[in-house]
Amino acid sequence: QVALVESGGGSVQAGGSLRLSCTTPEVSGYDFTVDCLAWFRQTSGPKREPLAVYSTKFSSDYYGESAEGRFALSQDTAAKNTWYLQMNKLRPEDSGTYYCAADFSGGTPCSGGLGHNWEYRVWGQGTQVTVSS
């Protein structure tokens, strides 16, 4: 079963920064080309809020309102299967569980924007972020 691996969560004071990492699988003989790489978070309740997504097909990125201007999604220049979410100016309301998700099937979820959580079939296990005031 394909899964993503996240890391980098932790506790930080308001105004601080964290960088989350997401590693997509590399299995010999299988092509796991990322078409969309997205970050979501779950703060309260079951809904996962889309924060940022990168479309490799269109070389475009999209950010949600909560992330715009503070968060940045990037890909490691050397390890192409590693993606980051740099989070700056963190606020207590940013606390929650952060997930990365990927599409390997043509890029439909991110073809025109952030997409929705139900459009992504491959997820990481989540990493906890706590921002204290």
Side-chain angles (χ1 to χ4, degrees):
Q1 185 174 355
V2 176
L4 312 178
V5 179
E6 298 135 346
S7 61
S11 298
V12 65
Q13 289 192 324
S17 299
L18 282 174
R19 189 177 77 166
L20 307 182
S21 300
C22 174
T23 303
T24 60
E26 284 189 324
V27 180
S28 177
Y30 290 86
D31 180 14
F32 289 110
T33 301
V34 173
D35 294 307
C36 305
L37 193 290
W39 285 94
F40 289 77
R41 74 180 177 192
Q42 190 169 350
T43 53
S44 60
K47 185 177 179 180
R48 292 186 182 183
E49 173 192 4
L51 296 172
V53 66
Y54 184 78
S55 166
T56 59
K57 182 176 181 179
F58 298 104
S59 297
S60 299
D61 54 10
Y62 304 95
Y63 291 90
E65 185 176 339
S66 301
E68 187 74 53
R70 298 189 300 132
F71 296 178
L73 190 159
S74 64
Q75 183 181 21
D76 193 291
T77 55
K80 295 295 186 181
N81 69 323
T82 299
W83 299 79
Y84 303 108
L85 183 68
Q86 177 67 43
M87 305 188 296
N88 300 321
K89 300 179 182 178
L90 285 163
R91 308 163 181 163
E93 54 265 38
D94 292 319
S95 297
T97 304
Y98 285 67
Y99 299 89
C100 63
D103 176 78
F104 302 100
S105 304
T108 297
C110 63
S111 59
L114 289 166
H116 301 90
N117 58 314
W118 61 82
E119 297 180 281
Y120 293 89
R121 295 189 175 184
V122 183
W123 291 81
Q125 79 286 358
T127 186
Q128 184 67 32
V129 171
T130 302
V131 184
S132 58
S133 58

